[in-house]
Amino acid sequence: MGNFNLAPPQASENAVWHDAVFYTLTALTVAFTLLVGFLVIFFAIRYRQGSKVNRQRPVYEHLLLELTWTVIPLILGVIMFVVGAKLFVDLRTPPKDSMEIYVVGKQWMWQIQHPTNGVRENNTLHVPIGKPVKLIMISQDVTHAFYIPAFRVQYHVVPGRYTDVWFTPSKTGTYPIYCGMYCGTQHSEMTGQVVVMEQAEFAEWLDNGGNDVQPSDLITAGHDLFKKLNCGSCHGVNDTIQGPTLQGLYGKMRKFENGGSKVADDAYIRESIVRPYEHIVSGYGREMGAYDDRPEEDILRLTAYIKSLGTGNPTGKTIDENEPHKGSTPAPRSHENPIATGAISHELKAGKK
Ligand SMILES: [Cu+2]
C-alpha cells in the first residue's frame, strides 16, 4: 500500500488547473451539502411537534437573508463557470506551434508515428518536456478513447474521423496510457506508456530513430523479435540442455526422436516455431511452447533471421543474447556436446519429466 495514491501525478501544465477546478468544486459541494444538511436537521429537531420554542412571530420574508443565499452561490458559480469554461476551451485549442504526433487506435493497441522522421512506436509515446504536443488520432476499427490520467486528458478516437488532444508535459517520467472507452474483449489490456524526456534527450532519441523503430529488413526485424520473445533463453550459440543451437541450422539434416529425419528448410523452420511438437529434435523433449498465435509476418521474420545464421553463416551474425536460464544446469560446451554422447536425453528424461 506504500505507493497507493488517490490521484495520479500532475505531469502536464493543464493538470494543475484541472485539479484546482476539480478540488474546488468538490470542496464547495461538500461545504454546501454540510451547511444545508446541518440546517435541515437543526430546524427539524428545534421545531419538532410539541417542542417548547417560541412560534409567536414566524418570518415570512427576509430580503437580506435571501440576497445573501442567492448572491454568494451565484458569485461562486460564475467564478467556477468562467474558470471551467476557459480550461475547457484551452483544452480543445492546441497552440499553433504544437508538435504533432499521429496515433492510430485499434483492437487492442496504440500505434504511434512521429511525422518528422517517421519513427514508429507501439503502445509507447515519447514526448519532450515543456513543449505543447498535439496528438492527431483515428481508429482503425471501433471507438476508443486515448487517456493519460497523469496529464488529465482523454479524448475519443473514432473510426473515419481525425480527433485531437493536446498537452504540455511538465514532469519527466513514465506514465500510463489507457483506453477510456470499452472496445471489446481485451479493452482493459489496451494500455501503454508515455515517456516524458528532457528536450535534448528527446531530440537525440528522435534522431536515432527511436527505441522501437521498425527495422526495414527482415533479418534485423527477426533478430529483434528473437530477442523480444526470449528465444535466446533456450537457443544459444551452442547446443544446451534448454535447446539446440540454431547456428547453421538451415540446410542441415535433422534427426527426430521418433526416428525420422528431414532437411531444415524454410517450411521446417516455420513448423518448428508454430508446431514444435510435430518433429522433436533427437535428444530433446517437448520443451518448446508453440508460437502459433504469432502473425505470419513475425514467423517470416524469425525464419529469415534463423536462415541468416545458416550454414556458412553469410552475415557473420552469431546469437549474442544466449543466456540460458540462470540457476539451471550450466550450458555444456560444444566439444562436450551431450547430444553427441547421448547423455542429454537421459538427463532430460530423468530430470525434466
Ligand atoms: Cu480501446
Side-chain angles (χ1 to χ4, degrees):
M1 291 294 277
N3 50 9
F4 175 81
N5 293 316
L6 265 184
Q10 297 175 326
S12 75
E13 283 174 9
N14 127 77
V16 181
W17 277 101
H18 174 284
D19 286 5
V21 171
F22 176 78
Y23 289 121
T24 310
L25 265 180
T26 308
L28 284 175
T29 309
V30 169
F32 276 99
T33 306
L34 288 180
L35 177 66
V36 173
F38 168 78
L39 289 176
V40 167
I41 293 167
F42 174 79
F43 287 131
I45 292 172
R46 186 174 158 89
Y47 294 103
R48 69 190 184 278
Q49 195 174 23
S51 70
K52 295 194 170 52
V53 277
N54 184 1
R55 291 181 169 91
Q56 290 286 302
R57 290 192 295 131
V59 180
Y60 290 109
E61 252 185 69
H62 194 303
L63 190 61
L64 186 65
L65 190 62
E66 283 171 21
L67 279 177
T68 311
W69 77 44
T70 307
V71 172
I72 292 180
L74 178 73
I75 292 174
L76 290 173
V78 168
I79 292 175
M80 290 320 292
F81 169 77
V82 170
V83 175
K86 176 168 175 356
L87 189 65
F88 175 80
V89 171
D90 283 355
L91 257 177
R92 297 306 319 142
T93 318
K96 289 269 179 308
D97 61 340
S98 303
M99 195 178 115
E100 296 186 340
I101 301 177
Y102 289 86
V103 174
V104 176
K106 63 177 188 184
Q107 288 169 322
W108 286 277
M109 66 184 302
W110 300 106
Q111 290 180 323
I112 287 148
Q113 189 153 8
H114 298 256
T116 35
N117 61 355
V119 168
R120 290 173 197 229
E121 17 183 13
N122 286 339
N123 298 328
T124 312
L125 168 63
H126 287 77
V127 288
I129 191 171
K131 270 201 185 149
V133 174
K134 173 181 170 187
L135 304 180
I136 300 169
M137 312 183 291
I138 192 160
S139 166
Q140 198 161 306
D141 36 49
V142 301
T143 304
H144 303 277
F146 195 82
Y147 181 27
I148 306 178
F151 292 173
R152 310 292 190 273
V153 291
Q154 167 163 241
Y155 210 73
H156 302 296
V157 180
V158 187
R161 192 170 67 153
Y162 290 121
T163 55
D164 60 71
V165 72
W166 80 278
F167 46 79
T168 305
S170 61
K171 217 191 223 170
T172 54
T174 302
Y175 310 100
I177 298 172
Y178 296 107
C179 178
M181 170 80 62
Y182 180 70
C183 60
T185 321
Q186 289 173 52
H187 158 70
S188 63
E189 286 161 47
M190 193 169 164
T191 57
Q193 50 188 12
V194 54
V195 181
V196 181
M197 304 166 105
E198 295 295 346
Q199 292 192 2
E201 205 187 327
F202 175 80
E204 198 184 318
W205 175 88
L206 201 61
D207 277 353
N208 289 339
N211 293 332
D212 309 303
V213 63
Q214 294 271 318
S216 48
D217 72 301
L218 275 184
I219 294 174
T220 318
H223 188 208
D224 288 353
L225 207 53
F226 193 85
K227 279 198 256 188
K228 196 174 126 204
L229 297 176
N230 239 333
C231 310
S233 65
C234 296
H235 297 289
V237 189
N238 300 302
D239 293 324
T240 62
I241 311 258
Q242 280 85 25
T245 182
L246 304 179
Q247 214 85 48
L249 171 68
Y250 193 66
K252 231 194 228 169
M253 191 62 134
R254 308 306 291 148
K255 290 207 168 62
F256 304 120
E257 277 291 274
N258 63 9
S261 66
K262 215 178 191 183
V263 170
D265 54 10
D266 292 72
Y268 169 76
I269 291 176
R270 179 180 175 279
E271 182 205 79
S272 296
I273 303 170
V274 183
R275 294 188 304 278
Y277 41 81
E278 207 80 31
H279 289 100
I280 304 285
V281 178
S282 172
Y284 290 92
R286 294 179 63 142
E287 264 72 46
M288 180 169 157
Y291 291 80
D292 49 5
D293 57 344
R294 306 301 308 181
E296 284 302 334
E297 236 186 339
D298 282 2
I299 308 293
L300 267 179
R301 291 176 177 143
L302 285 169
T303 307
Y305 170 63
I306 292 170
K307 274 170 77 174
S308 81
L309 305 166
T311 344
N313 208 359
T315 61
K317 286 185 190 194
T318 50
I319 301 180
D320 48 15
E321 51 285 307
N322 172 30
E323 281 203 62
H325 305 302
K326 296 191 183 72
S328 63
T329 330
R333 300 278 110 218
S334 57
H335 62 265
E336 49 188 25
N337 187 340
I339 296 181
T341 64
I344 194 167
S345 44
H346 297 292
E347 228 171 296
L348 273 172
K349 276 164 191 154
K352 291 216 178 174
K353 292 190 183 160

